[in-house]
């Protein structure tokens, strides 16, 4: 049995990129009976940037609702909110005392923002240490992450290694797991879809707003009659990530034949998203209208998470000499 852990920031409503690139693959991994999965909402990390309590709460609910709507099995796994397990803050302190300053100045998460130092708070600076605590607090063995998070995993292993050197058998050293066939979902402007670029497709919106987002996908200005190359079209690029190979081929030939406009292609993409995610959209909106169900799931998860956290923390405290 391997313990798999990953954290999901709650900085906005999950979009199609998050769903195809993170949520669905992680849920698939959790279906392997040999794994026990711990998925949590990294709302303490979000606090480095999100200050509005209503936004923080709504984003957390939306993130949780998306994972539940896509079928994460919370009975056989753990699903919790980082801030519900404050033990992680205590561990962060112990790890801070083992983190060399230059290791943090070299972290991309800090470096990217260090050209404007006055806007960098210490929370942002020590972000990787809190992430290390997230992982080590649960004796995690496998951590599925995107490429951008690999450095944080190396930092985690370095900190855990030097802590173990001083206090043997304190932590399990985790392995990162990168999905080889990571799919990058393009946004409505053709760049990588991201909350930060204002180019998302939010599949949980109602039909009217979802259709509007899809209609805003940028295309070239070839006329309706022209024969078109589907491979260079953002609409098709998104479509073929979602459709069967057969349906993608059919759409491909419609582009190539001409008399098929981008508006038609967008309508097909809209219909595909609605039919493919009909259950998930319905479930998401039901959960967002009945947030007490989400609260209950998260508080059950927190209870289970605390049991593991307390055990590991006790071991660490004993090793340090506090108990
Ligand atoms: P965002 O860029 O919208 O802020 P995050 O950085 O919060 O997204 O990413 C959360 C997860 O979703 C990560 O695992 C990331 O790899 C995945 N992800 C985000 N955008 C995409 C995308 N366009 N295509 C595929 N995966 C994505
Ligand atoms: N930093 C990660 C991200 O931005 C989220 C995260 C927080 C995380 N703690 C974690 C991921 C622990 C894996 C393990 O995507």
């Amino acid at each position: 049995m391997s313990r798999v852990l990953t954290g999901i920031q709650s900085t906005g409503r999950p979009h199609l990129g998050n769903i195809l690139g993170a949520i669905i693959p992680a849920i698939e991994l959790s279906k392997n009976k040999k794994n026990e999965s711990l998925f949590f909402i990294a709302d303490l990390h979000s606090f480095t940037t999100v200050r509005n309590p209503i936004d923080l709460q709504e984003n957390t609910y939306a993130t949780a609702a998306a994972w539940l709507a896509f079928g994460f099995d919370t009975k056989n796994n753990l699903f919790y909110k980082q801030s519900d397990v404050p033990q992680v803050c205590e561990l962060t302190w112990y790890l801070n005392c083992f983190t060399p300053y230059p290791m943090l100045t070299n972290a991309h998460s800090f470096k990217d923002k260090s050209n404007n130092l006055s806007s960098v708070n210490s929370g942002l600076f020590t972000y990787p240490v809190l992430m290390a605590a997230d992982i080590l607090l649960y004796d995690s063995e496998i951590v599925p992450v995107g490429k951008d998070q690999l450095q944080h995993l190396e930092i985690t292993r370095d900190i855990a290694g030097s802590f173990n050197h001083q206090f043997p058998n304190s932590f399990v050293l985790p392995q990162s797991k990168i999905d080889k066939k990571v799919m990058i979902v393009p946004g409505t402007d053709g760049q990588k879809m991201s909350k930060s670029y204002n180019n998302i497709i939010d599949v949980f919106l109602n039909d009217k707003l979802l259709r509007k987002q899809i209609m805003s996908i940028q295309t070239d200005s070839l006329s309706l009659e022209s024969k078109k190359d589907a491979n260079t079209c953002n609409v098709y690029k998104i479509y073929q990530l979602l459709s069967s190979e057969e349906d993608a081929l059919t759409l491909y030939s419609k582009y190539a034949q001409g008399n098929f406009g981008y508006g038609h292609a967008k309508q097909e993409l809209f219909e595909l998203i609605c039919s493919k995610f009909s259950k998930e959209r319905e479930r998401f909106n039901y959960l967002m209208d009945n947030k007490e169900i989400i609260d209950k799931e998260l508080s059950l998860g927190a209870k289970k998470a605390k049991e593991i956290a307390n055990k590991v923390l006790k071991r660490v405290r004993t090793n340090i000499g506090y108990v």
Side-chain angles (χ1 to χ4, degrees), residues 8-9 11 15-23 145-148 182-187 192-196 200:
I8 310 108
Q9 280 221 56
T11 42
H15 52 73
L16 187 63
N18 302 142
I19 291 169
L20 298 183
I23 298 181
V145 281
K147 271 201 203 106
D148 59 321
V182 230
M183 83 170 61
I184 299 289
V185 181
K192 172 183 182 282
M193 189 179 292
S194 170
K195 277 161 259 169
S196 345
I200 68 159

Side-chain angles (χ1 to χ4, degrees), residues 5-9 40 42 45 127 131 134-135 143 145 149 152:
L5 171 140
T6 199
I8 310 108
Q9 280 221 56
F40 69 94
H45 278 110
Y127 182 111
M131 182 157 161
D134 287 331
I135 297 168
V143 183
V145 281
Q149 297 297 317
H152 289 153

Side-chain angles (χ1 to χ4, degrees), residues 280-296:
E280 290 82 358
R281 292 175 76 212
E282 199 181 307
R283 178 102 185 113
F284 177 91
N285 286 304
Y286 178 78
L287 290 166
M288 290 302 276
D289 289 341
N290 295 279
K291 295 199 172 85
E292 67 285 356
I293 302 178
I294 304 179
D295 287 334
K296 205 169 148 203

